[in-house]
Amino acid sequence: MVEPIEATKGRTKALPKARPLVASTYLVRNARKTTPLVAVIVLAVLLVAGIVSIMNSIPLSIRTIYSYSKIMLGVTPRGDADMTPRIQARILADSPVPIDRLIVCRASGAQVRSIVGKWPFVVIALEQEDMRYYLRRMEATRIEGRTPGPGKAEALISAPVAKNLGLGIGDELIGPEKNEAYSPQSVKIVGIADSRHWLMLAPIEYHKVHHFPPIDLLVVFARNAADQERLDTWATKAFRGERAQVFAWSELEKTTNEMFSTLYKILNVVIALLVLVITLMMGMLMNIYQSQRLQEYGLLQALGYTKKRLLRRSLAESVIVVLGGWVVGLLAAHLLLRLVKLILMDPSAFSLDTLDPVAFLYTVPIPIAILGAAFLTVWIRFRDFDPVGVVERRLI
Amino acid sequence: MITAVGASLHYEDHGREVHACEAIDVEVRDGEFLGILGPSGSGKSSLLYLLSGLKQPTAGDIRYRGRVMASMSDDERARLRLERFGFIFQHPFLLGYLTAVENVVLARPNEDRVAEAEDLLERLGLGSKTHRLPHELSGGERQRVCVARALLGSPEVIFADEPTAALDHANGVQVVELLDRHRGRGSLVMVTHDPTMLEGADRIVTLADGHLIDSCG
């Protein structure tokens, strides 16, 4: 009695030693063929993650440079310098949260450098006691040098500003020769505060005498971050349409997002086109790669390997190549960005997130699209494949 | 065991109707060495593909132990080839990135047959070359690896399609002898145009222009 074919199914057992058809075997032993495929994916991921990270460094720079705005609210009279007492009284009377300190100060303009050019920055002129408070709230742990003396043409900056402008103690921060950071006298740096926040401080007495117009700036501190946020929201609404201009973190965020929304739309189109081009290119490469293996597929099918089994193996190889390339690409992007940060950004205190999750998220369509192309290529290859053509050497 | 009943294979080749096999009746018996002889283009390889389930007849039936192969699914036929049949083709097809022993175990991927594969290679005179890659072997050695692959797992039938065509006569004779000697109780169906290769055959059928014209033995 002859047993049916199906009866042998249960007799088989796993192959512990030689696993010649494990996907990784082919990939490792044919590194010269698989490396270019991986390399294309790595480069694609590197390109996309790199572009997005650099792009994101611009709004990140805005948020970093003006981070002091998160800790305080700024309000300045608009069109009428005599509005200060009324604004001050309103804040103190109507604020929804307890005010820790309200400082009436003066301000003048300066500039800082960014990867897209120079941006405006404010020199805040304070009284001595207010300056100490301000530095404490800006988390300044240590001062190299000293704070500016009352009425003197002196300034204090924080370490990131010093790095960004390449200035040190004794250098001029604002002065008569500087068109965008003008002051009638040469205001020299006498102290550098160790703080992550960007700041430029000067004595109010000097500013009152030498800077025009004589408009006050009200700097308002709540007791904690949550209160500060409520205060900002309240001030933004309360002074809307009034003769006062509000400088709040939320407004900065809003303006930044508006500024970059169009740019990000363009970026999305560029990335989509890039992914399409890479996918088409990879589709062609995969096609060549599969064509080179017709003999292998034909032989195995002739020996009795099912199409499903070969398809699974081929797809497993594709998954390893594509996901491997993607992971290596992410690592390479991170390392390259670290290098860029170290060599180009850090010396000027430019911001760059080398682990930007948004940038890495932008690379996700790359493996998905390439895997789609690989699946399609393999499926087309296997659909009407005739192994006899191979063993008769008609197809090779 | 395998029976062809009025089996025909017709196909189109560049718009021309080819009658590769025409109403062939033949049987492969258990344990026998069946030679299929004929000149080039006589349809002997096509008959081998029909008998082994690699091709389906356009008319007639191929039966494996009474069951019509055409009624089996593609996967069933594939499993039949993998688990019950062994194959040797005209050209020594080996996967270039696998060693000799790994190429042999390809024939039984679901089972642990490494020791058996090494033993077969040893018996075929390739004991020292089990871990060589195909490009490190001569043509004769490659075909012997194919012989080992066909013998692995003691298949019920070994189908050999002109296995000596790419070899010189001495190597060809050696390959046929090895196949015949080591096939155990399995059947051997060998296609050739060289009658000297079928000296050990139990039966020989002769084809011409797709027709079976002679059967002896």
Side-chain angles (χ1 to χ4, degrees), chain A residues 13 35-36 51 60 65 86 111 115 141 150 155 158-159 242 244 252 264 275 291 293 299 304 322 324 346 358:
Chain A
K13 62 173 182 173
T35 306
I51 290 172
L60 179 66
I65 290 171
R86 268 187 279 172
Q111 283 188 327
I115 60 165
T141 51
S158 61
E242 304 270 327
L252 181 81
Y264 277 109
V275 170
S291 301
R293 301 179 67 189
L299 171 69
V322 174
D346 280 351
V358 176

Side-chain angles (χ1 to χ4, degrees), chain A residues 12-22 309, chain B residues 102 105-106 108-115:
Chain A
T12 59
K13 62 173 182 173
L15 191 64
K17 264 170 85 179
R19 295 166 64 85
L21 291 185
V22 168
R309 185 177 191 148
Chain B
E102 287 169 337
V105 296
L106 280 182
R108 290 290 186 274
N110 302 325
E111 303 162 42
D112 179 9
R113 298 235 180 224
V114 177

Side-chain angles (χ1 to χ4, degrees), chain B residues 19-41:
Chain B
H19 292 213
C21 292
E22 199 65 69
I24 291 176
D25 295 310
V26 70
E27 186 190 0
V28 180
R29 295 168 193 154
D30 280 313
E32 76 167 343
F33 177 179
L34 173 68
I36 301 174
L37 192 63
S40 180

Side-chain angles (χ1 to χ4, degrees), chain B residues 69-110:
Chain B
M69 279 203 199
S71 70
M72 297 177 185
S73 68
D74 284 349
D75 284 2
E76 271 184 298
R77 274 195 299 271
R79 200 161 59 239
L80 177 69
R81 291 200 301 275
L82 193 66
E83 296 178 354
R84 303 293 176 96
F85 300 166
F87 287 91
I88 306 177
F89 303 105
Q90 190 170 343
H91 300 277
F93 285 122
L94 296 171
L95 302 193
Y97 61 93
L98 298 181
T99 62
V101 70
E102 287 169 337
N103 266 290
V104 175
V105 296
L106 280 182
R108 290 290 186 274
N110 302 325

Side-chain angles (χ1 to χ4, degrees), chain A residues 172-350:
Chain A
E172 182 183 87
L173 180 66
I174 50 178
E177 300 290 323
K178 295 186 172 176
N179 194 35
E180 303 298 331
Y182 177 79
S183 190
Q185 288 183 27
S186 178
V187 176
K188 297 280 173 61
I189 296 162
V190 294
I192 296 173
D194 196 359
S195 166
R196 67 188 170 90
H197 297 291
W198 293 47
L199 53 95
M200 296 178 182
L201 304 180
I204 193 166
E205 300 83 359
Y206 172 83
H207 264 67
K208 278 187 172 170
V209 174
H210 296 288
H211 281 264
F212 179 86
I215 300 171
D216 294 320
L217 169 66
L218 284 82
V219 176
V220 192
F221 291 90
R223 284 180 183 163
N224 53 54
D227 279 0
Q228 192 70 46
E229 208 177 319
R230 284 185 64 197
L231 178 64
D232 284 7
T233 309
W234 168 80
T236 307
K237 282 182 187 165
F239 291 106
R240 189 170 292 149
E242 304 270 327
R243 298 185 76 175
Q245 188 174 3
V246 172
F247 302 98
W249 175 255
S250 57
E251 286 298 295
L252 181 81
E253 283 268 271
K254 197 175 143 194
T255 312
T256 306
N257 291 340
E258 280 170 5
M259 199 165 28
F260 285 91
S261 67
T262 309
L263 203 60
Y264 277 109
K265 278 176 195 156
I266 295 167
L267 181 71
N268 288 343
V269 173
V270 171
I271 300 289
L273 284 173
L274 195 68
V275 170
L276 185 71
V277 169
I278 291 162
T279 305
L280 287 174
M281 198 168 78
M282 281 302 291
M284 283 189 281
L285 282 175
M286 289 275 187
N287 205 20
I288 296 167
Y289 177 80
Q290 298 294 347
S291 301
Q292 289 172 339
R293 301 179 67 189
L294 278 184
Q295 185 177 324
E296 177 177 348
Y297 296 140
L299 171 69
L300 293 174
Q301 226 178 305
L303 290 180
Y305 286 67
T306 60
K307 282 184 183 178
K308 267 182 243 166
R309 185 177 191 148
L310 294 175
L311 199 61
R312 269 203 309 271
R313 175 172 171 249
S314 185
L315 295 183
E317 286 173 11
S318 300
V319 168
I320 292 174
V321 166
V322 174
L323 290 186
W326 182 60
V327 171
V328 173
L330 290 181
L331 284 172
H334 172 62
L335 291 176
L336 185 71
L337 288 168
R338 279 185 71 164
L339 202 66
V340 168
K341 186 173 160 61
L342 191 75
I343 295 170
L344 299 173
M345 309 295 265
D346 280 351
S348 298
F350 294 156

Side-chain angles (χ1 to χ4, degrees), chain B residues 20-26 35-39 42-44 47 204-216:
Chain B
C21 292
E22 199 65 69
I24 291 176
D25 295 310
V26 70
I36 301 174
L37 192 63
S42 60
K44 50 192 190 305
L47 178 59
I204 298 172
V205 294
T206 308
L207 268 74
D209 294 328
H211 292 85
L212 199 145
I213 56 166
D214 188 29
S215 177
C216 63

